[in-house]
Coordinates of all heavy atoms in Angstrom, one line a residue:
G24 N 198.5 82.8 55.3 CA 199.4 81.8 55.6 C 198.9 80.4 55.5 O 199.6 79.4 55.7
G25 N 197.6 80.3 55.1 CA 196.9 79.0 55.0 C 196.3 78.4 56.2 O 195.7 77.3 56.2
S26 N 196.3 79.2 57.3 CA 195.6 78.8 58.5 C 194.1 79.1 58.5 O 193.7 80.1 58.1 CB 196.3 79.5 59.7 OG 197.6 79.1 59.9
I27 N 193.4 78.1 59.0 CA 191.9 78.3 59.1 C 191.7 79.2 60.3 O 192.0 78.9 61.5 CB 191.2 77.0 59.3 CG1 191.4 76.1 58.0 CG2 189.7 77.2 59.5 CD1 190.9 74.7 58.1
V28 N 191.1 80.4 60.1 CA 190.8 81.3 61.1 C 189.4 81.1 61.8 O 189.2 81.3 63.0 CB 190.9 82.8 60.6 CG1 190.6 83.8 61.6 CG2 192.3 83.0 60.0
A29 N 188.4 80.7 61.0 CA 187.1 80.5 61.5 C 186.4 79.5 60.6 O 186.7 79.4 59.4 CB 186.3 81.8 61.5
T30 N 185.4 78.8 61.1 CA 184.6 77.9 60.4 C 183.1 78.0 60.8 O 182.9 78.5 62.0 CB 185.0 76.4 60.6 OG1 184.8 76.0 61.9 CG2 186.4 76.1 60.2
T31 N 182.2 77.7 60.0 CA 180.8 77.7 60.3 C 180.0 76.8 59.4 O 180.5 76.5 58.3 CB 180.2 79.1 60.3 OG1 178.8 79.1 60.8 CG2 180.2 79.7 58.9
Q32 N 178.8 76.4 59.8 CA 177.9 75.6 59.0 C 176.6 76.4 58.7 O 175.7 75.8 58.2 CB 177.7 74.3 59.6 CG 178.9 73.4 59.6 CD 178.7 72.0 60.3 OE1 177.7 71.8 60.9 NE2 179.6 71.1 60.0
L33 N 176.6 77.7 59.0 CA 175.5 78.5 58.6 C 175.4 78.7 57.1 O 176.4 78.7 56.4 CB 175.6 79.8 59.3 CG 175.6 79.8 60.9 CD1 175.9 81.2 61.4 CD2 174.3 79.3 61.4
S34 N 174.2 78.9 56.6 CA 174.0 79.1 55.2 C 174.5 80.5 54.7 O 175.1 80.6 53.6 CB 172.6 78.9 54.8 OG 171.7 79.8 55.4
N35 N 174.3 81.5 55.5 CA 174.8 82.9 55.2 C 175.5 83.5 56.4 O 175.0 84.3 57.1 CB 173.6 83.8 54.8 CG 173.0 83.3 53.5 OD1 173.6 83.1 52.5 ND2 171.7 83.1 53.5
P36 N 176.8 83.1 56.6 CA 177.5 83.5 57.8 C 178.1 84.9 57.7 O 178.2 85.5 56.6 CB 178.7 82.5 57.9 CG 178.9 82.2 56.4 CD 177.6 82.2 55.7
T37 N 178.5 85.4 58.8 CA 179.2 86.7 59.0 C 180.5 86.3 59.7 O 180.5 85.7 60.8 CB 178.5 87.7 59.8 OG1 177.3 88.0 59.1 CG2 179.3 89.0 59.9
F38 N 181.7 86.6 59.1 CA 183.0 86.4 59.7 C 183.5 87.7 60.2 O 183.5 88.7 59.6 CB 184.0 85.8 58.6 CG 183.7 84.4 58.2 CD1 183.1 84.2 56.9 CD2 183.9 83.4 59.0 CE1 182.8 82.9 56.5 CE2 183.7 82.1 58.6 CZ 183.1 81.9 57.3
R39 N 184.0 87.7 61.5 CA 184.6 88.8 62.1 C 186.1 88.6 61.9 O 186.7 87.7 62.4 CB 184.2 88.9 63.5 CG 184.8 90.1 64.2 CD 184.2 90.3 65.6 NE 184.9 91.2 66.4 CZ 184.7 92.5 66.4 NH1 183.9 93.0 65.5 NH2 185.4 93.3 67.2
I40 N 186.8 89.6 61.3 CA 188.2 89.5 61.0 C 188.9 90.6 61.9 O 188.5 91.8 61.7 CB 188.5 89.7 59.5 CG1 187.8 88.6 58.7 CG2 190.0 89.7 59.3 CD1 187.9 88.8 57.2
V41 N 189.8 90.2 62.8 CA 190.4 91.2 63.7 C 191.8 91.6 63.3 O 192.3 92.6 63.7 CB 190.4 90.7 65.1 CG1 188.9 90.5 65.6 CG2 191.1 89.4 65.2
N42 N 192.5 90.8 62.5 CA 193.8 91.1 62.1 C 193.9 91.6 60.6 O 193.3 91.0 59.8 CB 194.7 89.9 62.3 CG 194.9 89.6 63.8 OD1 195.0 90.4 64.6 ND2 194.8 88.3 64.0
P43 N 194.7 92.6 60.3 CA 194.9 93.0 58.9 C 195.6 91.9 58.1 O 196.3 91.1 58.7 CB 195.8 94.2 59.0 CG 196.3 94.2 60.3 CD 195.5 93.4 61.2
G44 N 195.3 91.8 56.8 CA 196.0 90.8 56.0 C 195.0 90.4 54.9 O 193.9 91.0 54.7
K45 N 195.4 89.4 54.1 CA 194.6 88.9 53.0 C 194.0 87.6 53.5 O 194.7 86.7 54.1 CB 195.5 88.6 51.8 CG 195.9 89.9 51.1 CD 196.6 89.7 49.8 CE 196.9 91.0 49.1 NZ 197.6 90.8 47.8
Y46 N 192.8 87.4 53.1 CA 192.0 86.2 53.5 C 191.3 85.6 52.3 O 191.0 86.3 51.2 CB 190.9 86.6 54.5 CG 191.6 87.1 55.8 CD1 192.0 88.4 56.0 CD2 191.8 86.2 56.9 CE1 192.5 88.8 57.2 CE2 192.3 86.6 58.0 CZ 192.7 87.9 58.2 OH 193.3 88.3 59.4
S47 N 190.9 84.3 52.4 CA 190.1 83.6 51.4 C 188.9 83.0 52.2 O 189.0 82.7 53.4 CB 190.9 82.5 50.8 OG 192.0 83.0 50.0
I48 N 187.8 82.9 51.5 CA 186.6 82.3 52.0 C 186.3 81.1 51.1 O 186.3 81.2 49.9 CB 185.4 83.2 52.1 CG1 185.7 84.3 53.1 CG2 184.2 82.4 52.5 CD1 184.6 85.4 53.2
F49 N 186.2 79.9 51.7 CA 186.0 78.7 51.0 C 184.7 78.0 51.5 O 184.3 78.1 52.7 CB 187.2 77.7 51.4 CG 187.1 76.4 50.8 CD1 187.4 76.2 49.4 CD2 186.6 75.3 51.5 CE1 187.3 74.9 48.9 CE2 186.5 74.0 50.9 CZ 186.9 73.8 49.6
L50 N 183.9 77.5 50.5 CA 182.7 76.9 50.8 C 182.6 75.5 50.2 O 182.9 75.3 49.0 CB 181.5 77.7 50.3 CG 180.1 77.0 50.2 CD1 179.6 76.6 51.6 CD2 179.1 77.8 49.5
K51 N 182.3 74.5 51.0 CA 181.9 73.2 50.5 C 180.4 73.0 50.7 O 180.0 73.1 51.8 CB 182.7 72.1 51.3 CG 182.3 70.7 50.9 CD 183.1 69.6 51.7 CE 182.6 68.3 51.4 NZ 183.2 67.3 52.3
N52 N 179.7 72.9 49.6 CA 178.3 72.8 49.7 C 177.8 71.4 49.1 O 178.2 71.0 48.1 CB 177.7 73.9 48.8 CG 176.2 74.0 48.8 OD1 175.6 73.8 47.8 ND2 175.6 74.2 49.9
S53 N 177.0 70.7 49.9 CA 176.6 69.4 49.6 C 175.1 69.2 49.6 O 174.4 69.9 50.4 CB 177.2 68.3 50.5 OG 178.6 68.4 50.5
S54 N 174.6 68.3 48.8 CA 173.2 68.0 48.8 C 173.0 66.6 49.4 O 173.5 65.6 48.8 CB 172.6 68.1 47.4 OG 171.3 67.5 47.3

Side-chain angles (χ1 to χ4, degrees):
S26 297
I27 298 172
V28 177
T30 63
T31 184
Q32 294 180 342
L33 298 174
S34 59
N35 295 308
T37 299
F38 290 105
R39 182 172 169 82
I40 302 173
V41 295
N42 295 319
K45 289 187 178 180
Y46 294 85
S47 297
I48 295 178
F49 178 79
L50 168 63
K51 176 183 175 185
N52 181 241
S53 302
S54 170

